[in-house]
């Protein structure tokens, strides 16, 4: 077990992304930060670093506990990091908010039809 590894490898091994390509892409787009700074996919991660990962609506803020370069089971991956208390609280609040409020257009997969538009307008006028 080495003391450092590439950030894209670590994110893949910690199961934040299904493939290294997805991890690399997220890093390049600035959706994965190391110690609150943008880095390149080849940047080294060491124990104690703070990693922030954004996936869709979820934002994870984790502290690196272990370095592994190979992808293992989910239980092993969970031992590689520890989520900060602030991050866990934020994610719980977002989940709670999502439970009680659904964006009216979230269920639409295509452009709204005339009928869909009328229904959306009707729900907004009821509030």
């Amino acid at each position: 077990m080495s003391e450092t590894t590439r950030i894209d490898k670590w994110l893949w091994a910690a199961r934040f992304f299904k493939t290294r390509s997805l991890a690399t892409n997220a890093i390049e787009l600035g959706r994965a930060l190391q110690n609150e700074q943008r880095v390149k996919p080849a940047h080294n991660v060491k124990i104690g670093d703070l990693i922030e990962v954004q996936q869709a609506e979820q934002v994870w803020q984790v502290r690196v506990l272990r370095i592994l370069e190979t992808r293992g089971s989910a239980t092993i991956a969970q031992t590689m990091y520890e989520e900060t208390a602030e991050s866990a609280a934020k994610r719980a609040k977002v989940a709670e908010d999502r439970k009680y409020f659904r964006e009216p257009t979230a269920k639409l997969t295509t452009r709204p039809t005339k009928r869909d538009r009328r229904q959306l307008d009707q729900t907004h006028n009821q509030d």
Side-chain angles (χ1 to χ4, degrees), residues 72-101:
S73 68
T75 53
I76 292 172
Q78 289 173 348
T79 65
M80 293 176 62
Y81 61 87
E82 175 184 46
E83 186 174 11
T84 62
E86 179 183 309
S87 171
K90 277 184 187 177
R91 286 189 328 105
K93 185 180 180 335
V94 168
E96 186 76 16
D97 291 348
R98 195 171 39 243
K99 183 176 164 183
Y100 291 114
F101 174 74

Side-chain angles (χ1 to χ4, degrees), residues 52-97:
E52 187 173 315
V53 182
Q54 179 183 352
Q55 294 175 320
E57 304 105 27
Q58 291 192 345
V59 178
W60 295 77
Q61 200 172 38
V62 297
R63 184 138 332 259
V64 178
L65 299 178
R66 289 176 63 192
I67 302 289
L68 294 176
E69 292 187 5
T70 57
R71 189 174 168 108
S73 68
T75 53
I76 292 172
Q78 289 173 348
T79 65
M80 293 176 62
Y81 61 87
E82 175 184 46
E83 186 174 11
T84 62
E86 179 183 309
S87 171
K90 277 184 187 177
R91 286 189 328 105
K93 185 180 180 335
V94 168
E96 186 76 16
D97 291 348

Side-chain angles (χ1 to χ4, degrees), residues 15-54:
R15 293 183 167 259
F16 283 102
F17 297 97
K18 278 187 174 183
T19 64
R20 270 186 64 192
S21 300
L22 290 174
T24 301
N25 201 17
I27 295 164
E28 288 171 349
L29 293 173
R31 294 185 184 137
L33 307 175
Q34 180 180 4
N35 298 324
E36 298 179 357
Q37 299 206 351
R38 286 183 74 157
V39 293
K40 292 186 177 180
H43 197 80
N44 284 332
V45 173
K46 60 185 181 305
I47 295 172
D49 282 352
L50 187 68
I51 307 290
E52 187 173 315
V53 182
Q54 179 183 352

